[in-house]
Amino acid sequence: MNVYADNAATTKISPAALEAMTKCMTEYFGNPSSLHTPGQTAAEVLQKAREDIAECIGASFQEIYFTSGGTEADNQAIRSAAALGAKKGKKHIISSTIEHHAVLHTLNALEKEGYEITLLDVGTEGIVKPEDLEKAIRDDTALVTIMYANNEIGTIQPIDELAKICHEKKVIFHTDAVQAVCHVPINVHEQNIDMLSLSAHKFHGPRGIGVLYVRKGVRLFNLMEGGAQERNRRPGTENLAAIVGMSVAMKEGIASMEEDEKKVEKLRDKLIAGLSKIPHSRLNGDAKKRLPGNVNFIFEGIEGESLLLLLDNKGIAASSGSACTSGSLDPSHVLLALGLPHEVAHGSLRLSLCEENTEEEIDYILDTIPGIVEYLRDISPVWEDLEKGEKEHVI
Ligand SMILES: *Cc1c(COP(=O)(O)O)cnc(C)c1O
């Protein structure tokens, strides 16, 4: 059996989105900036997609800026708010310890450029406390950027409360909502969100396209120089096919969200209950305030990477928090932020489900994982030490 359980990394394209994209590339091939009929037809298609996407998140179409994905949207939001702050002598930015690297690495770069960064802790459950944000905001705070939902452990942050605090203190609030869009209801105006990043390939849209929403009245600075596209804020000929594919996938995702998420939550909870039976294992992140499709487990005494490869041999595509794949042996910064010791954080596994996963697949995963964990523990020197009592179990 082949099971794709890595939907937090990317998703399979929706057939309707793919069809709309093909039509775009063959029929609406004009450049939306051109004044002739093919150009103006493309411009109309672009405008419709912009309006549809705006509606999906409760924004107006003038607040939507197309980018090359979540990474670019995060970069532009943060750099822009930082530049705006600097003009007013405000060079302090608040974020959290569990952000995506698109946010954390941008903040690292800004720190080298003279900004001061405060990263809020998330405790053992992986959730930011609003009272911590309240205490951290200063007169010179230019931006608060806190992700909507975490890509590794799936925890959902108290965005309404965090945004309200920022709104009252007149500090720009940005959220990386790449993992949240189409999984939790979002209305940027009602929720006081000033800036929001999203990415199509996390909800069955194409890769390489995303959106930065910027509330009217918040000034946006460019990352690049060029043409006048996106109201002079993001130059480059629009990737119309990808934009349309994104709008179709997003509308579909929002329309079926309630039904899909109920189904996915059931699968998730069955998976969590089954994996919890493995001794010395634990779910990472708050059990309730988490994405419907996210399961992130730690198994003491094993390497996540080995588990991943053996699962792949059995046809199961999952992900691990430990970052050997990226060439470093450091475990995930997210798991370390939860307070897990280094050697334990290495034994993590992320399974991220979508509405296409089935109960049979969950049964297959639950039949497969315990045996692999046992095998890996049998050959693990760390596990031997734990069993002999030379080391103490953490879990
Ligand atoms: C995937 C992801 C990104 C990056 O989006 P891309 O479109 O792949 O650049 C940013 N933030 C989070 C939380 C993500 O999951």
Side-chain angles (χ1 to χ4, degrees):
M1 189 181 247
N2 283 323
V3 184
Y4 185 74
D6 202 13
N7 287 281
T10 197
T11 56
K12 195 167 98 182
I13 188 104
S14 128
L18 183 60
E19 198 189 318
M21 289 173 76
T22 309
K23 189 165 175 176
C24 246
M25 285 187 272
T26 49
E27 290 182 35
Y28 312 131
F29 56 85
N31 186 327
S33 300
S34 300
L35 290 179
H36 47 59
T37 306
Q40 286 314 294
T41 307
E44 280 165 26
V45 173
L46 177 65
Q47 176 60 15
K48 172 76 167 60
R50 196 185 295 281
E51 286 168 10
D52 287 348
I53 287 167
E55 198 184 324
C56 282
I57 57 167
S60 61
F61 72 85
Q62 299 95 333
E63 298 172 316
I64 301 295
Y65 298 86
F66 294 119
T67 66
S68 65
T71 301
E72 188 188 329
D74 283 343
N75 271 263
Q76 190 169 5
I78 293 167
R79 287 235 165 239
S80 179
L84 194 62
K87 276 184 184 282
K88 300 176 188 161
K90 297 180 174 187
K91 295 188 84 173
H92 176 236
I93 299 173
I94 301 170
S95 188
S96 85
T97 51
I98 61 167
E99 298 295 312
H100 190 273
H101 282 146
V103 169
L104 285 180
H105 291 174
T106 304
L107 294 177
N108 286 345
L110 285 172
E111 195 167 30
K112 291 197 187 94
E113 292 166 28
Y115 289 82
E116 205 183 318
I117 313 294
T118 300
L119 297 183
L120 301 177
D121 283 333
V122 294
T124 53
E125 300 307 314
I127 309 241
V128 170
K129 289 188 192 67
E131 58 266 34
D132 288 350
L133 174 62
E134 193 130 33
K135 277 185 231 143
I137 292 179
R138 319 189 306 212
D139 290 340
D140 65 341
T141 304
L143 166 72
V144 172
T145 172
I146 310 262
M147 68 197 322
Y148 211 117
N150 183 267
N151 46 303
E152 287 186 40
I153 55 172
T155 48
I156 299 172
Q157 303 303 325
I159 294 299
D160 292 19
E161 288 169 76
L162 300 174
K164 188 161 170 261
I165 292 168
C166 293
H167 190 72
E168 280 165 5
K169 303 214 175 190
K170 299 195 165 43
V171 177
I172 294 176
F173 181 75
H174 166 254
T175 185
D176 172 343
V178 173
Q179 290 289 334
V181 169
C182 289
H183 301 297
V184 293
I186 294 176
N187 185 307
V188 287
H189 287 172
E190 281 176 13
Q191 293 177 278
N192 291 311
I193 296 168
D194 296 312
M195 293 173 136
L196 175 145
S197 306
L198 65 89
S199 172
H201 77 100
K202 303 291 174 74
F203 52 80
H204 303 287
R207 246 153 272 175
I209 190 72
V211 164
L212 175 58
Y213 147 83
V214 183
R215 181 198 290 282
K216 220 177 281 175
V218 174
R219 181 154 168 217
L220 184 63
F221 287 78
N222 293 23
L223 287 182
M224 299 186 292
E225 303 306 323
Q229 291 90 351
E230 300 305 299
R231 300 147 60 84
N232 283 314
R233 291 293 166 256
R234 204 283 185 174
T237 305
E238 300 86 348
N239 187 351
L240 187 62
I243 290 167
V244 167
M246 169 163 65
S247 79
V248 170
M250 202 165 167
K251 277 196 293 180
E252 271 186 327
I254 303 276
S256 61
M257 179 160 66
E258 245 187 83
E259 189 190 334
D260 289 346
E261 302 316 332
K262 248 187 237 151
K263 183 194 161 186
V264 175
E265 250 170 42
K266 236 180 100 190
L267 298 177
R268 175 198 70 188
D269 291 342
K270 181 173 179 170
L271 196 47
I272 291 174
L275 292 177
S276 301
K277 291 184 190 143
I278 298 174
H280 303 289
S281 70
R282 186 171 77 198
L283 179 73
N284 291 315
D286 193 283
K288 291 272 172 330
K289 293 174 198 142
R290 72 190 299 123
L291 288 171
N294 177 286
V295 176
N296 188 309
F297 254 78
I298 202 97
F299 303 103
E300 220 180 348
I302 68 166
E303 284 282 345
E305 236 72 46
S306 318
L307 176 56
L308 211 61
L309 295 175
L310 293 173
L311 281 173
D312 190 40
N313 279 344
K314 300 272 184 194
I316 300 169
S319 163
S320 168
S322 52
C324 304
T325 39
S326 59
S328 102
L329 281 168
D330 293 338
S332 133
H333 67 281
V334 176
L335 298 179
L336 294 181
L338 301 182
L340 286 171
H342 260 251
E343 72 269 22
V344 179
H346 273 298
S348 77
L349 175 73
R350 178 186 73 185
L351 297 152
S352 43
L353 310 172
C354 80
E355 65 287 351
E356 285 175 27
N357 290 109
T358 64
E359 190 135 5
E360 290 72 43
E361 290 179 349
I362 303 302
D363 289 336
Y364 178 64
I365 296 174
L366 289 175
D367 283 344
T368 309
I369 290 183
I372 296 179
V373 169
E374 206 180 306
Y375 165 76
L376 288 173
R377 281 177 173 171
D378 279 348
I379 59 170
S380 153
V382 176
W383 186 252
E384 199 181 329
D385 288 350
L386 288 166
E387 288 297 274
K388 279 195 202 142
E390 280 168 20
K391 251 190 204 157
E392 296 239 349
H393 282 286
V394 180
I395 301 164

